[in-house]
Amino acid sequence: GSGVIIDPRGLIVTNNHVIDDAARVQVNLKDGRTFVGEVIGSDPATDVALVKVEAVNLPAATMGDSEKLKVGQIVLAIGNALGLPGAPTVSMGLIGALGRPLPGTDFVVEGLIQTDAAINPGNSGGPLLDLNGKVVGVNQSIRTGNFTTTGEPTNSGVGFAISLNIVKRVSPDLIAKGTYDYPYLGINSSATDLTLQEQEELGLSQSTGVYVTGVTAGGPADRAGILGGDPNNLTSDGMPKGGDLIVAVDNRPVYNFNDLISYLVENKSPGDKVTLTVLRAGKQMTIDVTLDKRPSP
């Protein structure tokens, strides 16, 4: 795996799956120096980990702002691709999409940067850079159906990086206490966007937004008065009727569940208040919700 020096006093960010529950790891620098790195914090949900080495005046990377990224922008991926000699290597590509979830893995990662810059095993934890040389993300994974003769996955043109602003948000807590607490709303929602048939049967004026199929009893949404669907009154395909449709959070439109979760993860902490705009029985209203800490799995 790879890593990014984010502080000249020896602080390195990488992926949680790179350190793989280790307490200590070997850190090799390009100039030939080798250190024992202590894992000081990790977060499986965002796949971020921090490693500390006993060193000073290390060449730290310059941080950028992933919020300013645009689809179509050129980026560079750096890392120990395939673990081959002569690393690190550099590949160039475009940002294909922003705010992507990563399906089909154990990681609950939101707000990923999708790129066609070549990312291969060994690139994980390395930096994704803009053309000014600023870090805008941390390479995380590839989506592939191709494998080498030894069973290693190979790049098929779609790679993902954790947005730098998520790393910035998680890192202070990882440094302070080794873990990160996520905000918790306490709702259940349909896993996919509403179909036009579901929109009609639910009596909604639009299909975009987050349809609340249920709320966790005693949770933040329940305490604030958010309504979930009635399990005894279902649509033809089993969707409970009567739930609220969340169309905005803090005046920011949300079009699906990923929009809502990404906003909360990137901008809010337990104890913060959010204002949800909901459609209920054909009327629009705003409801303030105070977030809790996400329960442990």
Side-chain angles (χ1 to χ4, degrees), residues 184-187 212 214-216 218-227 246 276 287-292:
Y184 176 65
L185 187 57
I187 65 168
V212 183
V215 296
T216 303
D222 185 29
R223 296 195 304 266
I226 298 293
L227 297 183
I246 302 171
L276 300 180
I287 300 175
D288 291 335
V289 182
T290 300
L291 302 169
D292 281 350

Side-chain angles (χ1 to χ4, degrees), residues 24 32 58 83 87 93 101 119 129 154 156 169 185 188 202 220 236-237 243:
R24 296 194 303 167
L58 293 180
I119 295 175
L129 307 175
T154 60
S156 60
R169 185 161 186 83
L185 187 57
N188 297 321
L202 293 170
S236 58
D237 62 355

Side-chain angles (χ1 to χ4, degrees), residues 17-285:
H17 77 265
V18 168
I19 59 103
D20 195 23
D21 294 327
R24 296 194 303 167
V25 294
Q26 180 173 313
V27 177
N28 303 319
L29 301 189
K30 183 173 172 57
D31 63 11
R33 286 182 291 172
T34 300
F35 297 91
V36 173
E38 178 187 0
V39 178
I40 63 172
S42 62
D43 178 44
T46 50
D47 200 22
V48 171
L50 291 180
V51 175
K52 182 71 169 61
V53 298
E54 293 300 323
V56 294
N57 299 322
L58 293 180
T62 302
M63 301 295 107
D65 184 355
S66 57
E67 189 70 22
K68 297 180 179 179
L69 294 176
K70 304 293 184 183
V71 172
Q73 183 173 334
I74 297 174
V75 288
L76 305 173
I78 298 180
N80 187 24
L82 301 175
L84 298 175
T89 60
V90 181
S91 61
M92 182 177 70
L94 301 176
I95 293 177
L98 296 167
R100 295 295 301 273
L102 183 62
T105 76
D106 294 331
F107 302 124
V108 188
V109 183
E110 300 291 339
L112 292 175
I113 303 165
Q114 179 183 316
T115 177
D116 63 357
I119 295 175
N120 287 287
N123 277 116
S124 292
L128 188 73
L129 307 175
D130 64 18
L131 291 185
N132 294 315
K134 294 182 178 180
V135 178
V136 293
V138 175
N139 302 325
Q140 196 258 352
S141 62
I142 56 175
R143 189 74 184 271
T144 183
N146 302 319
F147 298 86
T148 66
T149 55
T150 58
E152 288 290 324
T154 60
N155 181 278
S156 60
V158 179
F160 297 96
I162 305 162
S163 69
L164 183 66
N165 287 5
I166 288 181
V167 176
K168 288 179 179 177
R169 185 161 186 83
V170 170
S171 293
D173 278 8
L174 296 186
I175 294 170
K177 58 182 181 179
T179 59
Y180 182 74
D181 294 331
Y182 282 87
Y184 176 65
L185 187 57
I187 65 168
N188 297 321
S189 172
S190 57
T192 58
D193 295 341
L194 295 176
T195 65
L196 293 178
Q197 179 178 335
E198 288 170 337
Q199 176 191 342
E200 181 178 355
E201 291 190 46
L202 293 170
L204 299 173
S205 59
Q206 63 186 72
S207 60
T208 56
V210 178
Y211 181 70
V212 183
T213 59
V215 296
T216 303
D222 185 29
R223 296 195 304 266
I226 298 293
L227 297 183
D230 181 358
N232 298 312
N233 185 14
L234 306 178
T235 64
S236 58
D237 62 355
M239 186 80 69
K241 297 180 179 179
D244 287 336
L245 182 70
I246 302 171
V247 296
V249 53
D250 291 341
N251 294 317
R252 177 173 178 162
V254 293
Y255 300 102
N256 52 49
F257 189 66
N258 289 330
D259 286 345
L260 177 61
I261 295 301
S262 293
Y263 175 81
L264 295 179
V265 169
E266 293 179 23
N267 298 280
K268 297 296 178 178
S269 300
D272 287 349
K273 182 182 292 185
V274 295
T275 299
L276 300 180
T277 303
V278 305
L279 297 181
R280 178 184 297 174
K283 297 182 179 180
Q284 182 171 298
M285 62 182 67

